[in-house]
Amino acid sequence: MTNQPEQMGEQPFISHLIELRDRLLRVVLCVLLVFIGTALYANEIYQYVAEPLLKHMPKNSTMIAIDVASPFFTPIKLAFVVAVFASVPYILFQFWGFIAPGLYRHEKLMALPLLLASTLLFYAGAAFAYFVVFPLVFGYLTSAAPVGVAVMTDIATYLDFILALFFAFGVSFEIPIFTIVLVWAGITTPESLAEKRPYVIVGVFVVAMFLTPPDALSQTLLAVPMWLLFESGLLFSRFFVGKRRER
């Protein structure tokens, strides 16, 4: 009889582990299935991603592959990253299905919109990097090459560079979510964040300085959206605080 409570406590824990395992297997299976599809068009995907650089490279200049296996593994690596990127909605769906039963109703009403919004904002940040920032960055970098230096970028190095930028801009566009979560968790208040607005503005320009080439236009194109995203997060955080006080 003394072991019965312990067994009852262990069974729910084991069942949670089994459910977590099943959901992780579904995620892996989903990524693998999508990867099979993207791997078939790996070269086409890489060509599309490399287009912002190729447009600004000098005439008769091409990208190069330093390592012997780079022409194969680099597009495959990109195809896998695209597969994970495309599977994010399903991954979040499995994550939500695992944590939702343990949340209160008001927590569900808060967490689900934040998950959806964070996904859309990350995609928006990546799209902003590709369509707005990449043309400016590569246009500046290729034009800044000294006379007599041929611009021929290694395909693996280029992929690592753009993936870092995709991630940086995707995370930067999560500023509204970070702001809302900080307020919702009671770590800070909208009024306190509003008082720190001058520091935030300086901070986003400093961050933009490190993420973009050293020209005022590129820095402004990143810093201004980050500041506006902070302001939108501040606005929505006031709304959520009001709802919490009403409850």
Side-chain angles (χ1 to χ4, degrees):
M1 294 296 293
T2 57
N3 294 330
Q4 185 175 359
E6 295 181 1
Q7 293 176 354
M8 293 178 62
E10 291 177 357
Q11 289 178 356
F13 178 73
I14 294 175
S15 64
H16 287 318
L17 289 180
I18 294 174
E19 181 184 2
L20 178 61
R21 181 202 62 185
D22 293 340
R23 292 189 180 277
L24 289 176
L25 289 176
R26 293 171 194 166
V27 168
V28 172
L29 181 60
C30 174
V31 173
L32 289 178
L33 290 176
V34 178
F35 173 63
I36 292 174
T38 56
L40 297 175
Y41 301 95
N43 290 336
E44 289 79 1
I45 295 173
Y46 189 91
Q47 183 178 1
Y48 178 78
V49 172
E51 192 65 25
L53 174 62
L54 294 176
K55 286 182 178 179
H56 293 91
M57 292 183 70
K59 188 177 180 180
N60 298 326
S61 181
T62 62
M63 301 182 72
I64 61 175
I66 297 177
D67 296 330
V68 176
S70 290
F72 174 77
F73 284 110
T74 300
I76 290 297
K77 176 183 176 180
L78 176 60
F80 179 76
V81 173
V82 171
V84 175
F85 195 74
S87 302
V88 167
Y90 184 77
I91 295 173
L92 290 178
F93 173 76
Q94 293 298 327
F95 174 74
W96 174 253
F98 181 73
I99 68 169
L103 299 178
Y104 292 105
R105 182 176 179 273
H106 69 276
E107 292 175 335
K108 291 180 180 180
L109 294 176
M110 179 69 177
L112 183 58
L114 288 180
L115 282 175
L116 296 176
S118 62
T119 305
L120 294 177
L121 286 172
F122 191 87
Y123 285 156
F128 182 82
Y130 181 84
F131 291 106
V132 179
V133 177
F134 283 8
L136 295 172
V137 170
F138 298 131
Y140 174 81
L141 293 178
T142 54
S143 64
V147 177
V149 176
V151 179
M152 293 186 294
T153 304
D154 175 57
I155 59 174
T157 303
Y158 173 77
L159 179 60
D160 293 338
F161 179 77
I162 62 169
L163 289 181
L165 283 182
F166 276 136
F167 181 78
F169 278 84
V171 172
S172 298
F173 271 58
E174 300 290 336
I175 290 177
I177 306 300
F178 296 148
T179 304
I180 293 173
V181 170
L182 287 174
V183 174
W184 185 40
I187 299 175
T188 185
T189 62
E191 293 76 16
S192 177
L193 289 175
E195 293 176 357
K196 296 179 175 63
R197 182 178 285 109
Y199 302 101
V200 172
I201 295 175
V202 173
V204 296
F205 273 93
V206 171
V207 172
M209 179 180 63
F210 287 101
L211 293 180
T212 59
D215 64 277
L217 178 61
S218 300
Q219 295 174 11
T220 304
L221 284 175
L222 176 59
V224 171
M226 290 175 65
W227 172 50
L228 294 177
L229 288 167
F230 167 77
E231 294 294 342
S232 64
L234 190 61
L235 177 63
F236 282 104
S237 66
R238 296 179 188 273
F239 171 77
F240 285 114
V241 168
K243 289 291 185 181
R244 185 173 61 182
R245 288 173 179 173
E246 290 178 3
R247 288 195 299 269

